[in-house]
Amino acid sequence: MSTAARYDAVVVGGGHNGLVAAAYLARAGWSVLVLERRDVLGGAAVSQQVFPGVDVRLSAYSYLVSLLPDRIVSDLGLPLDLRDRAVASWTPLRRDERHRSLLVERDEGPATAASFRALTGSDAELAGWQRFYGRLSTLAEDLAPTLTEPLPGEAELAGRLRDPGIWHDLRERPLADVVGDHLTDDDVRGIALTDGLIGTFADVHAADGLAGRCFLYHLVGNGTGRWRVPVGGMGAVSGAIATAARAAGATLLTGATVTALETRADGVTVHWTDADGVAHAADAGHLVGGAAPAVLDDLLGAPAGPRPSGSQLKVNMVLRRLPGLRSGDDPHRVFSGTVHVDESASAIDAAYAKAAAGQLPDVVPFEVYCHSLTDPSITGGTGLHTLTLFGLHTPAELFAADPVGTREEAVRRVVAQLDEHLTEPLADCLAIDAEGRPCLQAASPLDVEAALAMPGGHIFHGDLSWPVATDPAQAGTWGVATSHPRVVAASSGGTVRGGAVSGLGGFAAAQHLLGR
């Protein structure tokens, strides 16, 4: 494919944020070129046939949608089907030598109340839960609209919040203390705390705000905080955005590895090689950095900052059947939500201490999702089921000395932990691929880095930021500026309000440029 000598904007990185920026700019009449290193668009928001001969499209890296604003879906005319899960979460437990569980419905009703009462012995814990999440719901409703507006200053934002106290607490106090103000049961507190640890290696007892920032982003999506399953997998999301960008006139190239950037007062020259190793170059009025900040800094020759460190173990599986549960719950119901395993507050603390000391946790807290129960289309009518596991407190550094051995040991531990709650071994339920191997694929942060060029395998590209202007000079901007006026950030970690599959980074980059 030939490319023009000059574009209004070149986007480096064809992940979902880069595609959102390209779509908005092209719709405004800009000439846009997107350069993606991999042979597929979408970055971490992709669906893949992971196992040979098994016709299942797995969301391999990112799984659910919450933060993608309805405004972006509407503006770009994205034909997405995002489905709610009937169950918000389910937690298998072992107490008093009995297999127990805690069910939280999406719309909490009598079953949720009965589950809390059976586990804790009263209605007090449910009352604390509802008070806590009621306050968070109010915060989400107030905060979500600001995510697609220029950055508010701290005083301006506080004036828009009906409950500024919970905003203050999340920012200024340890997350464990905020949760502890409302909840007392060890397992119930842990379920709440996990939202502050997804992809983030943080001490929930620290006052540095790291866990609080992660927690906030997991609770505010579209004013509801609900995490929905995209029909067709995550690839359907990035695919729809790519289609919108192409329809608006953007040129999208895959297999294009950017090798150098030359900045000038009037623009940027971008150099890249195609899949055949042929060198190309194009001039652009502006460059949009959809790649991780560390990658963009390297291309610009900027000093390297602290290396990000991802903190998640990902295990993708295809099952012939769902296993039975020792608690007696129906797996076809409860596996449709987020299944919390060994995620009590005390287990989280023990795992953090072990990982902070440089050792793989003896008990790895993790979550499991079965998306095929909500979206059967991803298994192509085969009757198979997907199962995706996301492990916490497994930072990249733990895998450095022995990447393969440590990953295999981590997988052994989480499978054994899950087996404790099943009536049959998980291994007996796994489908077998065309090469005779069980359908189980694991990825450490180092594997994620190798596949997606995410430094440290950090799924947010780096620590999340509070969605507010912390510097008065930043108020009223879009939070995407870099050290060069012709280069703007659009990635998850490069923008103030990036994070998860939200499109917020790409949206902000486009608004910044169009506003100029």
Side-chain angles (χ1 to χ4, degrees):
M1 179 182 295
S2 61
T3 55
R6 183 175 177 85
Y7 293 85
D8 293 322
V10 170
V11 180
V12 176
H16 83 283
N17 272 312
L19 294 172
V20 166
Y24 272 99
L25 293 174
R27 286 166 63 90
W30 286 40
S31 57
V32 181
L33 172 66
V34 176
L35 300 173
E36 167 55 40
R37 176 186 62 90
R38 303 178 74 211
D39 59 0
V40 295
L41 295 164
V46 293
S47 301
Q48 297 177 342
Q49 184 175 346
V50 174
F51 304 104
V54 181
D55 188 18
V56 172
R57 302 285 292 178
L58 279 164
S59 296
Y61 299 104
S62 56
Y63 311 125
L64 298 165
V65 176
S66 177
L67 281 161
L68 179 65
D70 291 340
R71 175 178 174 180
I72 292 179
V73 175
S74 176
D75 284 352
L76 301 183
L78 304 180
L80 298 179
D81 184 356
L82 303 176
R83 295 185 181 174
D84 281 315
R85 303 176 295 170
V87 170
S89 73
W90 178 77
T91 305
L93 302 164
R94 188 174 175 85
R95 286 191 182 182
D96 304 322
E97 300 303 315
R98 293 175 53 200
H99 287 278
R100 315 276 291 277
S101 65
L102 179 65
L103 173 73
V104 181
E105 301 160 290
R106 182 193 67 194
D107 299 314
E108 296 168 12
T112 299
S115 188
F116 268 87
R117 191 179 306 116
L119 182 69
T120 65
S122 76
D123 293 324
E125 194 73 358
L126 176 61
W129 176 278
Q130 292 177 331
R131 175 173 171 266
F132 184 41
Y133 283 97
R135 297 183 70 193
L136 292 170
S137 176
T138 298
L139 178 62
E141 291 172 5
D142 294 344
L143 191 58
T146 72
L147 300 181
T148 52
E149 300 171 359
L151 279 168
E154 299 207 26
E156 176 192 350
L157 180 60
R160 295 175 64 167
L161 301 179
R162 286 168 288 172
D163 185 355
I166 190 67
W167 166 252
H168 171 273
D169 285 351
L170 288 174
R171 293 190 68 191
E172 303 296 335
R173 299 176 59 207
L175 180 61
D177 291 354
V178 181
V179 170
D181 287 346
H182 302 79
L183 304 170
T184 60
D185 184 89
D186 186 38
D187 289 297
V188 178
R189 284 188 293 119
I191 294 169
L193 288 169
T194 57
D195 277 324
L197 300 172
I198 298 295
T200 300
F201 187 54
D203 180 359
V204 295
H205 298 278
D208 56 11
L210 184 55
R213 278 172 269 163
C214 184
F215 184 85
L216 181 73
Y217 276 86
H218 281 86
L219 270 297
V220 301
N222 276 307
T224 66
R226 285 183 174 175
W227 289 83
R228 297 177 290 176
V229 175
V231 172
M234 292 301 298
V237 178
S238 56
I241 303 170
T243 297
R246 283 196 188 96
T251 300
L252 313 181
L253 296 184
T254 57
T257 301
V258 176
T259 56
L261 303 175
E262 300 174 40
T263 57
R264 305 179 307 278
D266 64 345
V268 181
T269 298
V270 185
H271 299 268
W272 77 94
T273 57
D274 62 25
D276 296 320
V278 178
H280 300 266
D283 289 330
H286 294 86
L287 184 127
V288 178
V295 174
L296 186 61
D297 287 344
D298 183 59
L299 291 170
L300 290 169
R307 177 177 169 79
S309 176
S311 186
Q312 68 285 324
L313 173 72
K314 291 176 177 286
V315 185
N316 295 318
M317 294 168 275
V318 176
L319 306 183
R320 292 183 290 114
R321 64 179 180 276
L322 291 179
L325 299 169
R326 291 177 184 266
S327 66
D329 291 279
D330 178 4
H332 291 84
R333 182 188 189 198
V334 299
F335 271 108
S336 66
T338 298
V339 178
H340 297 274
V341 179
D342 291 320
E343 289 190 327
S344 66
S346 57
I348 286 171
D349 288 346
Y352 178 82
K354 197 83 171 182
Q359 301 174 58
L360 186 68
D362 298 318
V363 176
V364 179
F366 66 87
E367 302 177 356
V368 177
Y369 325 88
C370 180
H371 293 166
S372 54
L373 289 169
T374 304
D375 174 24
S377 74
I378 60 175
T379 58
T382 60
L384 300 172
H385 282 293
T386 64
L387 200 65
T388 302
L389 186 149
F390 191 106
L392 307 182
H393 287 337
T394 51
E397 291 77 12
L398 299 185
F399 299 86
D402 182 8
V404 174
T406 305
R407 183 185 64 218
E408 290 179 349
E409 176 58 22
V411 170
R412 187 196 67 77
R413 292 184 189 186
V414 295
V415 169
Q417 290 169 232
L418 184 56
D419 279 350
E420 286 289 320
H421 302 285
L422 308 180
T423 59
E424 58 184 321
L426 180 65
D428 290 352
C429 300
L430 291 173
I432 304 299
D433 71 17
E435 298 174 0
R437 295 175 299 190
C439 291
L440 184 150
Q441 176 209 54
S444 73
L446 299 186
D447 297 316
V448 172
E449 177 176 24
L452 301 178
M454 287 182 171
H458 200 304
I459 60 174
F460 303 134
H461 294 176
D463 294 343
L464 296 167
S465 303
W466 295 109
V468 65
T470 54
D471 181 339
Q474 199 178 46
T477 74
W478 288 98
V480 299
T482 71
S483 59
H484 195 282
R486 291 284 175 166
V487 178
V488 297
S491 68
S492 178
T495 57
V496 173
R497 292 176 294 197
V501 179
S502 68
L504 289 170
F507 175 84
Q511 299 308 309
H512 170 86
L513 292 178
L514 295 175
R516 290 170 66 95

